[in-house]
């Protein structure tokens, strides 16, 4: 383990200890220790534990075992907010499963910890061409493929179309200035314009990131060696975000502690007129607020269009001695049929090119916008330190929202932390 890898691994272990309360590849696979004559059992972790999530994955495993009767899948569901901690603990205890779905933001750090199996030898050379490039690129780190995409999504601006009409606007806000104007018009009689997110965690960074990119800012320099989120474009973007809360007062009091689910709930209950969510949200609106009139639009633009593109991954751990069976499951999990099923079931954008090009979902007015803005999607930098960088940025945003520091001071302080991390 080199100095860089050791520093990253040590960082994750320290973070763990301080937590409180909280078809595809037909190419011959590498040799494994499993027997062709005996049933092989593989352990699979799936991040996400609600009933809706379980129903889909239980059915997928049933179909897989029907097609592959010699492979038994031992499935365990892990709540998302416990996933990273559980993976790091299992890595330290050498008790990782054979396969797991993980957040894309964790992949590089797990690769740097030397616990993932690179997948390059399991598929043919043309295999990556079957995937949407933006989704495939999130799996790449240091020239190797560390997982396959299992959930690709962009985000958009959900707004109350009836409120917009009542306020005299003919269309959703397209610029920052219009966004402020519309938010102000919605803020009255106990209602607010925007469901701002401000707690000190990754979802706050997610809400702010499109404003950063739209203003021409970046999180890191192009060589990924220094913070860039304290440059003038970024400071201006954070000032805009802070002003929504502190100056214009178009977000509810207490938004500095709100997470993404809080913002969605405020929209569902009619407390706020706008929020930013992904393509899965319309089905919840239909179920929980069937009479709510809403529209979906791209993020408001300052200098250029931008939205957050994210992907979850399915990975194989290098401690598995059942790699052939593990790859069969990974390949099945992400095949064209299951990509289409998952996109339709969960409300994600397909990650297989064939499903992007021939998908009836693209004609659904509640989904079409997300196909349209996918070309403008931007992903987070792929590097093992990203979770800590993400956290440092989120804490800076919250400090600025609380008025403890100016946006410039908060971002400069976070940049010092990040630069020290990147230079270890």
């Amino acid at each position: 383990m080199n100095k860089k890898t050791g520093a990253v691994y040590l960082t994750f272990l320290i973070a763990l200890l301080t937590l409180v309360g909280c078809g595809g590849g037909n190419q011959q696979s590498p040799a494994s220790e499993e027997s062709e004559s005996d049933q092989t059992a593989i352990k699979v972790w799936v991040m996400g534990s609600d009933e809706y999530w379980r129903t889909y994955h239980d059915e997928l495993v049933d179909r897989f075992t029907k097609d592959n009767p010699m492979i038994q899948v031992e499935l365990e569901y892990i709540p998302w907010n416990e996933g990273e901690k559980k993976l790091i603990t299992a890595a330290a205890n050498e008790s990782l499963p054979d396969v797991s779905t993980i957040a894309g933001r964790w992949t590089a750090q797990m690769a740097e910890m030397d616990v993932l199996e690179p997948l390059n030898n399991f598929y043919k050379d043309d295999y990556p061409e079957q995937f949407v490039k933006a989704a495939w690129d999130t799996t790449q780190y240091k020239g190797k493929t560390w997982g396959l995409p299992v959930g690709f999504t962009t985000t958009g601006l959900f707004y109350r179309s009836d409120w917009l009409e009542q306020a005299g606007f003919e269309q959703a806000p397209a610029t920052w200035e219009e966004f402020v104007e519309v938010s102000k018009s919605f803020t009255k009689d106990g209602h607010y314009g925007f469901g701002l997110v401000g707690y000190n965690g990754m979802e706050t960074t997610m809400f702010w990131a499109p404003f950063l990119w739209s203003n021409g800012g970046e999180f890191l320099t192009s060589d990924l060696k220094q913070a860039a989120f304290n440059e003038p474009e970024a400071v201006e973007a954070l000032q805009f975000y802070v002003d929504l809360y502190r100056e214009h007062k178009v977000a509810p009091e207490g938004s500095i502690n709100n997470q993404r689910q809080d913002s969605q709930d405020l929209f569902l209950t009619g407390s706020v007129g706008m929020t930013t969510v992904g393509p899965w949200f319309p089905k919840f609106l239909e179920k929980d607020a069937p009479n709510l009139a809403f529209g979906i639009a791209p993020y408001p633009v300052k200098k250029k269009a931008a939205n957050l593109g994210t992907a979850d991954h399915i990975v194989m751990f290098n401690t598995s001695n059942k790699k052939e069976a593990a790859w069969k499951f990974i390949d099945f999990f992400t095949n064209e049929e299951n990509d289409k099923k998952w996109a339709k079931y969960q409300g994600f954008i397909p990650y297989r090119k064939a499903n992007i090009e021939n998908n009836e979902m693209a004609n659904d007015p509640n989904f079409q916008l997300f196909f349209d803005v996918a070309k403008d999607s931007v992903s987070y930098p792929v590097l093992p330190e990203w979770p800590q960088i993400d956290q440092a940025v989120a804490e800076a945003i919250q400090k600025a929202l609380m008025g403890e520091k100016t946006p410039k001071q908060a971002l400069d302080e976070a940049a010092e932390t990040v630069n020290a991390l990147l230079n270890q």
Side-chain angles (χ1 to χ4, degrees):
M1 182 179 293
N2 60 33
K3 181 179 180 182
K4 179 76 170 180
T5 302
V8 171
Y9 190 60
L10 180 60
T11 299
F12 296 136
L13 289 178
I14 292 172
L16 170 62
L17 294 172
T18 56
L19 282 171
V20 179
C22 20
N26 297 321
Q27 180 172 307
Q28 180 64 38
S29 303
S32 66
E33 299 177 14
E34 56 202 281
S35 168
E36 291 295 326
S37 59
D38 299 326
Q39 189 178 54
T40 300
I42 59 172
K43 294 182 179 180
V44 177
W45 289 358
V46 169
M47 298 297 151
S49 58
D50 62 59
E51 192 63 31
Y52 192 80
W53 208 262
R54 288 171 178 264
T55 298
Y56 173 83
H57 290 93
D58 285 348
E59 190 272 338
L60 180 146
V61 168
D62 286 344
R63 287 187 289 109
F64 174 78
T65 52
K66 182 178 180 181
D67 292 347
N68 299 273
M70 299 307 294
I71 302 176
Q72 177 186 353
V73 178
E74 299 174 359
L75 189 60
E76 181 178 352
Y77 293 97
I78 313 296
W80 273 109
N81 62 355
E82 299 175 12
E84 186 176 14
K85 176 182 176 181
K86 190 172 180 68
L87 286 166
I88 294 171
T89 301
N93 295 334
E94 299 183 352
S95 58
L96 287 162
D98 298 287
V99 173
S100 182
T101 61
I102 65 174
R105 63 195 291 272
W106 304 340
T107 302
Q109 77 178 47
M110 301 300 292
E112 199 67 45
M113 289 169 62
D114 194 27
V115 296
L116 297 186
E117 179 74 18
L119 302 181
N120 303 68
N121 292 333
F122 291 90
Y123 57 75
K124 294 181 179 179
D125 290 344
D126 63 349
Y127 190 63
E129 298 174 10
Q130 301 173 28
F131 291 79
V132 175
K133 185 177 185 300
W136 181 262
D137 285 350
T138 66
T139 68
Q140 304 302 295
Y141 178 63
K142 291 187 175 180
K144 294 183 179 180
T145 302
W146 297 103
L148 296 185
V150 294
F152 177 53
T153 186
T154 58
T155 47
L157 179 70
F158 283 72
Y159 63 92
R160 287 291 298 265
S161 55
D162 51 346
W163 292 13
L164 193 74
E165 182 179 359
Q166 292 165 11
F169 296 98
E170 296 182 354
Q171 61 183 19
T175 66
W176 284 14
E177 292 76 14
E178 292 176 359
F179 183 70
V180 172
E181 186 179 3
V182 171
S183 294
K184 286 181 175 180
S185 74
F186 286 178
T187 304
K188 59 182 179 180
D189 301 328
H191 299 149
Y192 291 88
F194 181 50
L196 183 142
V197 169
Y199 91 115
N200 62 340
M202 68 176 187
E203 290 175 349
T204 293
T205 308
M206 291 170 62
F207 258 57
W208 177 65
F211 294 108
L212 167 72
W213 291 321
S214 182
N215 201 38
E218 297 288 348
F219 282 101
L220 301 176
T221 55
S222 59
D223 61 5
L224 306 183
K225 293 183 178 180
Q226 282 194 320
F229 56 74
N230 61 334
E231 295 296 322
E233 296 84 358
V235 174
E236 183 180 14
L238 183 52
Q239 187 67 63
F240 176 78
Y241 197 73
V242 169
D243 286 346
L244 293 173
Y245 181 66
R246 296 187 63 83
E247 178 181 341
H248 305 307
K249 302 186 185 302
V250 296
E253 294 182 17
S255 292
I256 54 172
N257 295 314
N258 281 356
Q259 301 185 35
R260 182 173 63 177
Q261 187 62 53
D262 297 312
S263 180
Q264 295 176 25
D265 290 344
L266 288 167
F267 187 84
L268 278 166
T269 58
S271 297
V272 301
M274 290 184 286
T275 186
T276 56
V277 201
W280 60 87
F281 196 42
K283 69 177 183 291
F284 292 107
L285 288 170
E286 181 178 350
K287 173 179 176 290
D288 298 330
N291 297 320
L292 189 146
F294 71 94
I296 315 171
Y299 271 84
V301 173
K302 181 65 173 181
K303 296 178 181 177
K304 61 180 181 180
N307 67 84
L308 176 63
T310 60
D312 297 328
H313 300 154
I314 186 167
V315 300
M316 183 193 305
F317 294 100
N318 57 20
T319 49
S320 173
N321 62 358
K322 303 163 185 176
K323 292 184 175 65
E324 182 178 349
W327 170 250
K328 284 182 180 179
F329 182 75
I330 289 172
D331 189 43
F332 178 86
F333 197 103
T334 59
N335 68 21
E336 190 174 313
E337 176 188 2
N338 287 320
D339 172 37
K340 188 174 183 178
K341 284 179 177 290
W342 183 232
K344 188 172 183 179
Y345 183 85
Q346 180 63 12
F348 281 163
I349 295 175
Y351 46 80
R352 290 273 185 167
K353 285 182 180 177
N355 289 331
I356 282 282
E357 296 163 358
N358 303 289
N359 197 308
E360 65 272 15
M361 293 171 67
N363 298 319
D364 182 338
N366 288 335
F367 209 85
Q368 184 176 4
L369 179 280
F370 298 99
F371 277 82
D372 293 342
V373 302
K375 66 181 185 302
D376 300 319
S377 64
V378 184
S379 297
Y380 289 141
V382 179
L383 73 170
E385 297 88 355
W386 177 253
Q388 298 100 299
I389 296 170
D390 191 338
Q391 182 62 34
V393 171
E395 291 176 0
I397 295 170
Q398 189 184 58
K399 287 177 181 178
L401 287 168
M402 294 174 66
E404 290 184 1
K405 294 182 181 294
T406 67
K408 173 66 172 171
Q409 290 170 341
L411 293 175
D412 280 344
E413 181 180 71
E416 290 182 9
T417 300
V418 168
N419 289 337
L421 176 68
L422 294 175
N423 290 320
Q424 286 180 350

